[in-house]
Amino acid sequence: MIKIKNILQQKNGQIMVGVVIILLLMSLILSVNYFSLNGLNVFLYYRETELEKVFALAESGINRAIFELNQNTGWTGTTEEILLGEGSYEVSIIDLGNEKIIESTGYIPNKQNYKFKRTLKATATKSPGFSSFRYGAQSGFGGIELNSNAIIFGNVYSNSSILCYSNSYISEDAFAVQTISPSNCARGQSATGSQPIPLPEFNRNYLIQKAESGGIINGNISYNSGINYLGPKRINGNLTLNTNATLIITGPIYATGTVSLNSNSIVKLDDSFDIDGTVILSDNTISVNNNTQILRHRPILQIMKQ
């Protein structure tokens, strides 16, 4: 019996050792898998972050190209790699006449030793209707007047003077051939004695045709309240937006009479324009009264008097 007992104890001991070894192996395997998965997650997060950065660098090149082409349509791209943040970008332009193909490539950390690279392409086309508009407001020799509480967001250029009345101001810089009154009208810099520059070129007949494509209204149009949609449309008469009314532009508008935007009214573009823009064109006076808002976000809304 004693021998049998010893044999059983030895076997039980061997079984326990085997179980412990198996448990240790399983724990080791699970630990290796955990750290492998955790390391993979860290790598994937790092890769995703760097890809977002290099995408932003390529986008910066596109934005740079659009800015340069608006200043000079003959711009051909960057002459060397442009360092920016943690990486760099370079831009090339292919001229196809009416179109410019923009190709921008971002690199991290640089072109020569890049670990991440991303190339974006965009097509720039000059609108047949109107040229690029560089300022929040620009006037000819009639000058610019801001009535009480009026605000122009952006830069302003006047071939005459700029006058700002009670609580009105320009959010950025102001440039005038003659005077700017008061001198602190602009929150940025104020520069008088500037050289006259031509107003943006636009194809009047093209814009009128686009407006007429949506129909012709004979008589005055007036909106007294609420949210209203209009365009494309020709109005043989006046367009009036009264107090607290909102007008959302859905296409070019041409008014043969006056355009009156009264106190607390709002004019803005429909979201369908995305990055494009349109105009309100008038043959007569354009009156923008107290607290009126003309919203110019990503799309471009120009209000022009012929």
Side-chain angles (χ1 to χ4, degrees):
M1 293 297 291
I2 294 173
K3 291 182 178 180
I4 294 173
K5 183 176 181 181
N6 288 338
I7 292 171
L8 291 174
Q9 288 176 343
Q10 291 175 359
K11 287 184 176 180
N12 289 336
Q14 292 172 353
I15 291 171
M16 289 299 296
V17 171
V19 170
V20 170
I21 292 172
I22 291 171
L23 290 174
L24 288 173
L25 288 173
M26 290 180 65
S27 176
L28 179 61
I29 291 170
L30 290 173
S31 297
V32 170
N33 286 337
Y34 170 78
F35 286 111
S36 296
L37 290 173
N38 191 51
L40 179 61
N41 287 335
V42 171
F43 172 76
L44 291 176
Y45 175 77
Y46 165 76
R47 176 180 172 80
E48 186 68 24
T49 301
E50 296 304 295
L51 286 175
E52 288 180 0
K53 290 179 182 178
V54 78
F55 182 86
L57 285 165
E59 277 194 323
S60 297
I62 297 291
N63 291 332
R64 165 76 180 278
I66 292 172
F67 172 81
E68 296 289 353
L69 289 171
N70 278 331
Q71 308 301 314
N72 174 20
T73 56
W75 190 71
T76 58
T78 55
T79 56
E80 58 185 12
E81 181 182 7
I82 306 299
L83 300 179
L84 180 64
E86 299 178 20
S88 62
Y89 68 83
E90 62 180 358
V91 181
S92 62
I93 304 291
I94 300 175
D95 191 345
L96 300 179
N98 291 330
E99 292 184 343
K100 306 276 188 179
I101 306 301
I102 305 170
E103 183 174 298
S104 174
T105 303
Y107 305 97
I108 290 180
N110 53 56
K111 182 179 179 180
Q112 185 175 1
N113 303 302
Y114 72 84
K115 294 181 180 179
F116 297 92
K117 173 183 175 181
R118 184 67 183 267
T119 298
L120 298 178
K121 289 186 177 181
T123 301
T125 305
K126 183 177 180 180
S127 168
F130 52 88
S131 62
S132 61
F133 194 66
R134 304 178 187 177
Y135 303 98
Q138 182 179 349
S139 78
F141 294 102
I144 294 176
E145 293 186 7
L146 281 73
N147 292 320
S148 299
N149 301 309
I151 303 172
I152 294 178
F153 293 97
N155 299 317
V156 171
Y157 207 108
S158 170
N159 285 349
S160 181
S161 297
I162 298 174
L163 300 177
C164 297
Y165 294 104
S166 177
N167 297 319
S168 63
Y169 67 89
I170 297 163
S171 69
E172 296 183 26
D173 301 331
F175 307 92
V177 174
Q178 297 181 19
T179 60
I180 298 176
S181 180
S183 58
N184 64 349
C185 173
R187 294 294 186 260
Q189 65 169 317
S190 295
T192 57
S194 302
Q195 293 297 315
I197 61 174
L199 292 171
E201 296 179 3
F202 67 97
N203 189 328
R204 183 175 185 274
N205 291 332
Y206 170 83
L207 293 174
I208 291 175
Q209 289 174 6
K210 293 291 288 184
E212 290 176 343
S213 68
I216 299 174
I217 298 174
N218 291 311
N220 300 328
I221 293 292
S222 181
Y223 297 106
N224 297 318
S225 63
I227 298 176
N228 309 275
Y229 293 82
L230 183 65
K233 199 72 67 179
R234 171 177 176 146
I235 303 170
N236 289 329
N238 303 326
L239 171 62
T240 302
L241 198 59
N242 287 319
T243 303
N244 298 320
T246 297
L247 179 61
I248 298 177
I249 307 299
T250 55
I253 296 174
Y254 168 51
T256 61
T258 62
V259 174
S260 300
L261 308 178
N262 294 324
S263 300
N264 298 306
S265 61
I266 298 174
V267 181
K268 64 180 181 177
L269 286 176
D270 186 75
D271 292 338
S272 62
F273 281 98
D274 192 19
I275 62 172
D276 297 320
T278 192
V279 300
I280 299 176
L281 179 63
S282 171
D283 285 339
N284 212 310
T285 301
I286 297 174
S287 177
V288 181
N289 294 313
N290 297 355
N291 298 315
T292 292
Q293 298 182 53
I294 300 174
L295 303 182
R296 180 183 185 270
H297 192 45
R298 280 189 65 191
I300 300 171
L301 173 61
Q302 296 192 49
I303 301 180
M304 299 186 292
K305 175 183 180 296
Q306 174 61 20

